[in-house]
Amino acid sequence: MSERVYIFDTTLRDGEQSPGCSMNTEEKLLVARKLVDLGVDILEAGFPIASDGDFDAVRRVGAEFPDVRVAALGRTVPKDIERAARALEGVKNPRIHCFIATSEIHLKYKFNKTQDEILEQAVRGVELAKQYVDDVEWSAEDGSRTEIGYLCRISKACVDAGATTINIPDTVGFCTPDHYAEIIGAVVEAVGDRAVVSVHTHDDLGLATANAIAALKAGARQIECAMNGIGERAGNCSLEEVAAILNVRHDRVPFHTGIRLEKLYAASQALSSVITFGPQPNKAIVGRNAFAHEAGIHQDGYLKHRSTYEIMAPESVGVPTSRLVLGKHSGRHALHQRIVDLGYGDLAKDDTLRVYEAFTQMADTRKGVLDEDIVALLEELGFRKLELVAQ
Ligand code: MN
């Protein structure tokens, strides 16, 4: 049996705090239901000190989903931690997630404090959180740009103070996979098996998922991610990408999670329905074109055997079916198949060729060809739908 990796979903917190992604409590509950169905381990439902809405969301998500662990975020200052603790009152599986920035840049420009002062504050915060809940996660904000010796020292101190998860975020999306793995490896070595080491990555350089995956090999056992990759700036690590990678490439990334892969698409769609945008069309796994084939050679190969151009079945991640998109790159084989699907029967080779010539002329002038266009073309060339002919 491979090792278990915990999926910490932050769609409702990091995701929600990005432009165009605000959700009210009812909307958060709707998305939370899909995430629980999907099988995430920890749901970060809000930042209670930030707003009453966040406070309420943590409380309601906690009440409605007693079997999932619910996290509330706060800085390592007493008023944040107390507010998070109050939001989590009565929640069956509560986690307080507290953070403080640790990098030189943040210490100098944000706090004007020394490393020792920050360490002291982090430890006091964890100790306070521990008075309310057993499950305390501590995060080193801007961890990836923190001097490594200090990062290990403060992480150890937070574990001594009671933190059971140590999260090292690449807050600004600055790391490369080898660099991040190096940092995570050092922290894993420093804290040993006394805490789970967690990763939280951002996609500013398009490396969020690659960084998270690299960190698993260095010993991380929790991944913080969001559905559709939403989150601050370029977004967080995509939950659907992590889940698919661990499944499709289990040979190279031998870990497992509690995610039910076939529920991914429904969760993605539910999220898209409550925020202002869906995943971009070419988004991995959940984008509209993720299982669409237009190039002729690809369509021909795909129709002969799906495995020629698909590394996973769309149904395995809950996507209804692959789509053959007809356009100027399509070949005769795909067009012939579409003619059959549209109900015009198994055309003879000459007939198919005739339709194909007219089709390529039309396709040349457009971005894509709709089924209606093909029907119009067939009718113009004198073909009739089979059931109509029968009547
Ligand atoms: Mn973040």
Side-chain angles (χ1 to χ4, degrees), residues 13-14 17 169 171 200-202 232 236:
R13 200 280 299 167
D14 200 320
Q17 73 191 45
T171 306
H200 176 113
T201 54
H202 277 273
E232 294 277 10
N236 281 99

Side-chain angles (χ1 to χ4, degrees), residues 151-330:
L151 188 64
C152 290
R153 186 158 69 91
I154 191 169
S155 296
K156 255 160 86 175
C158 287
V159 173
D160 291 339
T164 45
T165 302
I166 297 292
N167 182 43
I168 308 296
D170 184 24
T171 306
V172 291
F174 170 71
C175 266
T176 56
D178 60 321
H179 183 198
Y180 198 48
E182 215 173 280
I183 296 167
I184 296 302
V187 175
V188 167
E189 200 182 313
V191 304
D193 55 11
R194 294 192 301 149
V196 169
V197 174
S198 165
V199 292
H200 176 113
T201 54
H202 277 273
D203 214 29
D204 299 72
L205 293 174
L207 289 171
T209 304
N211 286 340
I213 297 296
L216 291 181
K217 298 200 167 184
R221 290 295 177 266
Q222 174 178 286
I223 294 182
E224 302 196 357
C225 48
M227 211 54 231
N228 295 356
I230 65 169
E232 294 277 10
R233 306 180 311 280
N236 281 99
C237 175
S238 288
L239 193 162
E240 63 275 18
E241 293 175 10
V242 170
I245 290 166
L246 297 192
N247 181 264
V248 175
R249 295 313 308 272
H250 195 73
D251 59 327
R252 304 292 298 204
V253 197
F255 302 95
H256 69 279
T257 66
I259 296 295
R260 288 180 278 275
L261 220 57
E262 71 282 4
K263 306 273 188 184
L264 280 173
Y265 190 63
S268 167
Q269 293 282 300
L271 175 65
S272 303
S273 76
V274 301
I275 62 175
T276 60
F277 57 92
Q280 79 267 21
N282 60 337
K283 171 76 182 63
I285 325 296
V286 294
R288 176 159 42 84
N289 292 351
F291 296 95
H293 308 278
E294 180 174 331
I297 293 170
H298 289 218
Q299 291 185 335
D300 184 58
Y302 170 83
L303 287 168
K304 285 174 177 148
H305 200 280
R306 285 165 70 156
S307 67
T308 52
Y309 288 99
E310 273 185 4
I311 58 167
M312 63 192 128
E315 313 87 74
S316 71
V317 291
V319 173
T321 181
S322 307
R323 293 192 310 127
L324 292 185
V325 177
L326 294 183
K328 64 176 180 178
H329 306 109
S330 303

Side-chain angles (χ1 to χ4, degrees), residues 20-37:
C21 296
S22 295
M23 290 175 236
N24 61 35
T25 300
E26 293 308 321
E27 291 165 336
K28 280 194 178 185
L29 285 168
L30 184 147
V31 176
R33 186 169 304 284
K34 294 291 182 186
L35 294 169
V36 170
D37 258 10

Side-chain angles (χ1 to χ4, degrees), residues 89-166:
E89 266 171 23
V91 171
K92 193 171 157 211
N93 290 298
R95 170 179 293 189
I96 292 179
H97 177 197
C98 57
F99 72 95
I100 191 165
T102 52
S103 67
E104 270 309 306
I105 300 171
H106 283 241
L107 262 57
K108 188 171 161 198
Y109 296 110
K110 241 166 75 173
F111 303 133
N112 194 23
K113 282 187 176 164
T114 66
Q115 288 186 341
D116 285 340
E117 286 169 318
I118 294 297
L119 186 145
E120 176 69 25
Q121 190 184 326
V123 165
R124 278 205 308 269
V126 171
E127 284 170 350
L128 178 61
K130 200 73 182 176
Q131 287 177 22
Y132 295 103
V133 295
D134 282 338
D135 187 336
V136 175
E137 171 171 339
W138 174 77
S139 280
E141 190 190 1
D142 206 19
S144 60
R145 293 194 300 173
T146 299
E147 187 252 306
I148 193 79
Y150 177 59
L151 188 64
C152 290
R153 186 158 69 91
I154 191 169
S155 296
K156 255 160 86 175
C158 287
V159 173
D160 291 339
T164 45
T165 302
I166 297 292

Side-chain angles (χ1 to χ4, degrees), residues 5 38 44 54-55 66 102 141 147 190 210 276 323 352 359 384:
V5 169
L38 182 62
E44 187 166 55
D54 271 40
F55 181 89
T102 52
E141 190 190 1
E147 187 252 306
T276 60
R323 293 192 310 127
T352 305
F359 164 78
R384 295 289 175 263

